[in-house]
Structure formats: structure tokens, C-alpha cells
């Protein structure tokens, strides 16, 4: 595709850390978030065209093995020298070279691949989704996570989302309290929402297999549709056993770090649904391969998030829009959890969905002043952007 373009050499690779408060505490089983650190990567070619990517993770090192700081230093020290001066338009060649010289570092690689794809699509004048085969849909259903830790507050939040027609799929974060306490919390929320919405839970690996056996039965009785990552990521056999003995769908999240995991999980029948995440998959191409394996194995798909800001969210959306089947929708709500807007024109969430832009590349433009004000290395103190 890029052979019609003149060679464009990579001139700069920049990594920015942006610290942005969340609208309320976001409680996961392993950490409570009060802010998110967006890890943004900008790659500029000698034609002046820049592409953006994002490598945001959750809770420092609490969730995954790459931190914002390690991503920045690893890109700057080890990956940038492999990119500078090389052809920006040969994305597969750039990623192949990185894979040959850099083990792991899936989030960093995802951000680099996204930035290269964004710039390439801009040069071609097409949306990023076109590089991955084009869109099957122009909007994506968007779940909202209820994770304040307080049942009354969560119900109020859900009511607000339903009234605004912003979300009617709710994912509840549990696993920090006892199984009985957590399941009572979920059951109260499901009773309040009734048939107006889907209620799912994410345990983030917190349960033992025995906990999960009890929890999944209580959750089935409460009318919950799906349980995400109930037990340890590595316990594929346990997922199989839980799946055989319960009627609620099981979704693999932390167990799924790219195509190899997808293959192993599919081979043993460990999950009904895959939470596909571009960062966890090592990039857009890796996530596309995960989706292909799911398709071949008849595992359902869900478009997951690492609570990225607008760039990672839109990169994910551009890819997920190319998936034929997306049975469980997506959870691309990351920007809505943040107090600050970094785009010139905010993403459009309405009628329970995210609308995809039609412009080239990611189809979004950053507001540079807002980005600069949020940078960790900014020279002046943060002032309110309201
Ligand atoms: O799914 C996760 O484990 C991570 C994340 C995605 C949504 C959310 O609230 O947390
Ligand atoms: Mn999850």
C-alpha cells in the first residue's frame, strides 16, 4: 500500500507523560486510581507529517509489567535508535526490526505501531481503519465501568448514564471484598437496573477457584451476564473448569496477551469471550490476529481498554470497527473517566455508542496547549483548564 508513497524517513520520536485526574476514584481489585498517566508517542517524518500513538497502562506497575516511566525510557533508549532515519511508511518492517531487537514491551510497541499507522493513513488520506481492511460499522457500543466502591453511588451513576443514553452496559469492578459482600453489591445494582441494561463483573484475578465457583453461582442467580478474569491469568485449566460448571459467560482479559495466548486459550476452550486490547496484544496487527483466532475458534469478541485517553481509545476504535462480529460490544470509555479534554473536538459518545470520525488517520486532533499543560515535564504549575 505504501509503495506509491515516496520514502519518508523518521526524524523524531517523542514520548510524553500526561498526568490527568480521574472524575472519581476508580477501584480495581489491585489498586485504586485517582489519576491516569497517559503515555503518548509522536513520530514525525521528514515530510513534517506526525502520527500519534498511546501506551497507557493502569496503576503504575499494579496491573502490568510495563510502567509509564519504563515505557518512556525503553522507547527513548532502545527503540528510537532503531527507528530514526528508517522509512516511516514501511510499518511492518519497522515493527519486525523492533521485535528482533526488543523482547516484550507490548505497550511501547503498540504506541509506536499506532503512531506509524496514523501518519501513514494521513499521508494516504484515509482513516486508519482502512489500513486494516476497512470498517464493518461506524459506531461501537460502549460499556461503562461502575467502580466507585459504593453501591448507592454506583446505582446513581448507572441511572445517570441510562438517562443520558450514554451507556446501558455496566461492568462492575469487584474482588477487593469478600465474595459474599461483592456479590451482594452486584445483585443490588442489577436489581436497580433490571432489564434496562447488561450487568457484568470484572474480578481482575482476585478470586481463588473455590471463590469463583461460589461467586459465579451467586452472580448467575443475580442475573449477571458475564464474568471477566475471575482467577489468576495463568490458570487456564481453572478457567476451563469454571466454564464447564457454570452458565455465565467467562471472558479472558489478563490471560490474553496477544496471539499466542489467544491460541492457547482457544485450544483448550478456556473462555467464551476474549477482551481484545491493542496494548496487551502488542499493537494493532497483534490485536487483529487475536480477533482472527477468536473468529476461527468461535470465541466471542469484546473490545477492551487499558483506560487510555483519546489516542489509544480511537486507535482501538479504528481497529474494532473492522471486526465482523463484536458480540459483547466494547468498553472504550477511557476519555470519559478523565477530568481534562486533550482534543480540539471531543469524541462523540451518544445513543450508547461511540461514533467513529471519517477524517484521515486516527481522525482526531490534539489541543496542543492542553497537552502541554498536562505534561509531567511542564515548566509551569498546572492551572485549571476549565
Ligand atoms: O478491564 C480491565 O481489567 C481494565 C480496565 C478496563 C475498564 C476498567 O474499568 O478497567
Ligand atoms: Mn479486565
Amino acid at each position: 500500500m505504501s509503495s506509491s508513497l515516496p520514502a519518508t524517513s523518521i526524524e523524531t520520536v517523542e514520548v510524553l507523560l500526561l498526568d490527568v485526574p480521574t472524575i472519581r476514584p476508580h477501584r480495581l481489585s489491585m489498586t485504586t486510581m485517582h489519576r491516569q498517566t497517559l503515555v503518548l508517542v509522536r513520530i514525525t517524518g521528514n515530510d513534517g507529517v506526525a502520527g500519534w500513538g498511546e501506551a497507557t497502562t493502569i496503576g503504575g506497575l499494579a496491573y502490568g509489567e510495563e510502567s509509564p516511566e519504563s515505557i518512556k525510557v525503553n522507547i527513548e533508549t532502545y527503540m528510537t535508535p532503531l527507528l530514526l532515519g528508517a522509512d516511516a511508511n514501511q510499518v511492518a518492517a519497522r515493527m519486525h526490526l523492533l521485535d528482533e531487537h526488543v523482547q516484550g514491551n507490548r505497550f511501547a510497541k503498540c504506541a509506536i505501531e499506532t503512531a506509524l499507522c496514523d501518519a501513514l493513513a494521513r499521508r494516504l488520506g484515509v482513516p486508519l481503519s482502512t489500513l486494516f481492511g476497512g470498517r464493518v460499522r461506524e459506531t461501537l457500543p460502549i460499556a461503562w465501568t461502575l467502580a466507585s466502591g459504593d453501591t448507592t453511588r454506583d446505582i446513581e451513576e448507572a441511572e445517570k448514564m441510562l438517562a443520558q443514553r450514554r451507556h446501558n452496559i455496566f461492568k462492575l469492578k469487584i474482588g477487593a471484598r469478600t465474595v459474599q459482600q461483592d456479590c451482594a453489591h452486584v445483585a443490588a445494582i442489577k436489581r436497580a437496573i433490571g432489564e434496562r441494561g447488561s450487568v457484568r463483573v470484572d474480578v481482575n484475578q482476585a478470586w481463588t477457584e473455590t471463590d469463583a465457583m461460589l461467586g459465579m453461582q451467586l452472580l448467575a442467580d443475580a442475573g449477571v451476564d458475564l464474568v471477566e478474569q475471575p482467577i489468576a491469568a495463568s490458570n487456564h485449566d481453572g478457567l476451563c473448569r469454571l466454564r464447564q460448571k457454570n452458565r455465565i459467560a467467562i471472558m479472558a482479559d489478563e490471560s490474553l496477551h496477544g496471539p499466542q495466548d489467544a491460541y492457547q486459550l482457544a485450544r483448550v476452550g478456556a473462555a467464551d469471550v476474549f477482551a481484545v486490547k491493542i496494548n496487551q496484544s502488542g499493537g494493532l496487527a497483534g490485536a487483529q490476529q487475536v480477533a482472527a483466532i477468536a473468529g476461527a475458534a468461535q470465541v466471542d469478541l469484546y473490545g477492551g481498554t487499558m483506560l487510555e485517553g483519546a489516542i489509544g481509545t480511537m486507535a482501538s476504535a479504528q481497529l474494532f470497527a473492522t471486526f465482523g462480529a463484536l458480540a459483547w460490544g466494547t468498553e472504550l470509555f477511557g476519555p470519559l473517566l478523565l477530568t481534562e479534554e486533550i482534543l480540539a473536538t471531543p469524541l462523540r459518545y451518544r445513543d450508547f455508542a461511540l461514533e467513529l470520525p471519517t477524517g484521515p488517520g486516527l481522525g482526531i486532533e490534539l489541543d496542543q496547549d492542553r497537552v502541554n499543560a498536562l505534561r509531567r515535564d511542564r515548566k509551569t504549575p498546572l492551572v485549571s483548564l476549565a
Side-chain angles (χ1 to χ4, degrees):
M1 190 178 291
S2 63
S3 57
S4 61
L5 288 171
T8 307
S9 73
I10 296 173
E11 280 210 328
T12 58
V13 178
E14 298 158 88
V15 186
L16 316 182
L17 301 186
L18 271 50
D19 293 312
V20 190
T22 55
I23 57 171
R24 56 149 169 76
H26 198 66
R27 274 171 59 111
L28 289 74
S29 66
M30 81 298 280
T31 189
T32 299
M33 298 167 60
H34 297 276
R35 66 169 191 181
Q36 179 61 306
T37 299
L38 305 182
V39 184
L40 307 187
V41 174
R42 174 166 53 191
I43 300 183
T44 309
N46 64 349
D47 59 350
V49 175
W52 287 91
E54 184 168 348
T56 296
T57 183
I58 291 170
L61 284 171
Y63 191 99
E65 61 284 90
E66 287 172 82
S67 71
E69 296 76 17
S70 78
I71 291 167
K72 180 169 165 62
V73 82
N74 286 349
I75 291 178
E76 290 174 347
T77 312
Y78 296 100
M79 300 181 219
T80 299
L82 296 166
L83 294 166
L84 292 180
D87 189 350
N89 295 328
Q90 305 298 340
V91 181
R94 299 289 68 78
M95 299 314 295
H96 181 64
L97 192 75
L98 286 183
D99 284 338
E100 277 185 336
H101 292 272
V102 178
Q103 300 294 324
N105 285 270
R106 301 184 308 277
F107 286 53
K109 287 176 180 170
C110 175
I112 290 169
E113 190 199 38
T114 303
L116 291 171
C117 287
D118 179 29
L120 173 57
R122 282 173 193 267
R123 290 185 188 104
L124 293 167
V126 298
L128 193 150
S129 50
T130 303
L131 302 185
F132 291 86
R135 294 179 188 167
V136 176
R137 61 195 88 234
E138 295 296 329
T139 64
L140 294 167
I142 306 287
W144 178 251
T145 299
L146 298 171
S148 75
D150 179 272
T151 311
T152 312
R153 192 171 168 183
D154 281 357
I155 292 173
E156 281 168 14
E157 207 172 286
E159 289 294 354
K160 201 172 101 195
M161 299 306 175
L162 286 166
Q164 292 174 350
R165 296 181 59 77
R166 219 178 73 181
H167 310 278
N168 57 6
I169 304 171
F170 299 99
K171 161 162 149 175
L172 279 50
K173 288 290 190 183
I174 60 172
R177 293 175 284 199
T178 66
V179 176
Q180 286 85 352
Q181 284 168 337
D182 271 339
C183 293
H185 164 77
V186 176
I189 294 174
K190 177 61 191 171
R191 266 198 308 279
I193 293 174
E195 294 311 306
R196 294 177 297 156
S198 168
V199 171
R200 306 154 183 193
V201 302
D202 188 355
V203 192
N204 284 118
Q205 313 184 64
W207 283 346
T208 63
E209 212 175 311
T210 329
D211 289 338
M213 205 58 84
L214 169 64
M216 288 186 68
Q217 268 154 36
L218 296 173
L219 294 171
D221 295 341
V224 168
D225 293 331
L226 173 137
V227 177
E228 181 173 338
Q229 201 67 53
I231 58 173
S234 58
N235 191 359
H236 295 188
D237 292 347
L239 288 176
C240 291
R241 285 188 288 271
L242 289 171
R243 207 175 150 226
Q244 279 152 16
K245 294 195 182 115
N246 288 282
R247 58 192 156 92
I248 305 189
I250 293 185
M251 179 149 78
D253 184 10
E254 290 93 321
S255 294
L256 180 55
H257 289 175
Q260 285 156 12
D261 285 336
Y263 172 68
Q264 296 302 341
L265 291 165
R267 193 175 62 79
V268 298
D272 301 279
V273 190
F274 285 171
V276 187
K277 297 184 177 180
I278 62 170
N279 276 326
Q280 293 286 29
S281 303
L284 297 155
Q288 190 181 43
Q289 287 169 24
V290 169
I293 292 165
Q298 304 203 11
V299 173
D300 285 350
L301 282 183
Y302 177 69
T305 181
M306 287 299 292
L307 302 177
E308 297 105 318
I311 293 172
T313 295
M314 190 42 65
S316 303
Q318 294 273 350
L319 181 74
F320 299 163
T322 71
F323 293 170
L326 199 52
W328 294 82
T330 79
E331 57 181 15
L332 296 178
F333 67 86
L336 299 172
L337 191 64
L338 305 176
T339 59
E340 308 297 336
E341 177 60 60
I342 60 166
L343 296 183
T345 307
L347 301 183
R348 279 165 67 91
Y349 289 93
R350 64 169 184 199
D351 282 334
F352 309 112
L354 169 65
E355 293 177 8
L356 273 99
T358 51
L362 289 168
I364 52 178
E365 297 301 332
L366 291 173
D367 179 326
Q368 282 301 336
D369 290 341
R370 285 170 179 270
V371 168
N372 288 337
L374 294 165
R375 283 175 70 155
R376 189 176 286 181
D377 62 357
R378 69 187 173 273
K379 300 290 180 297
T380 49
L382 178 60
V383 289
S384 170
L385 293 163

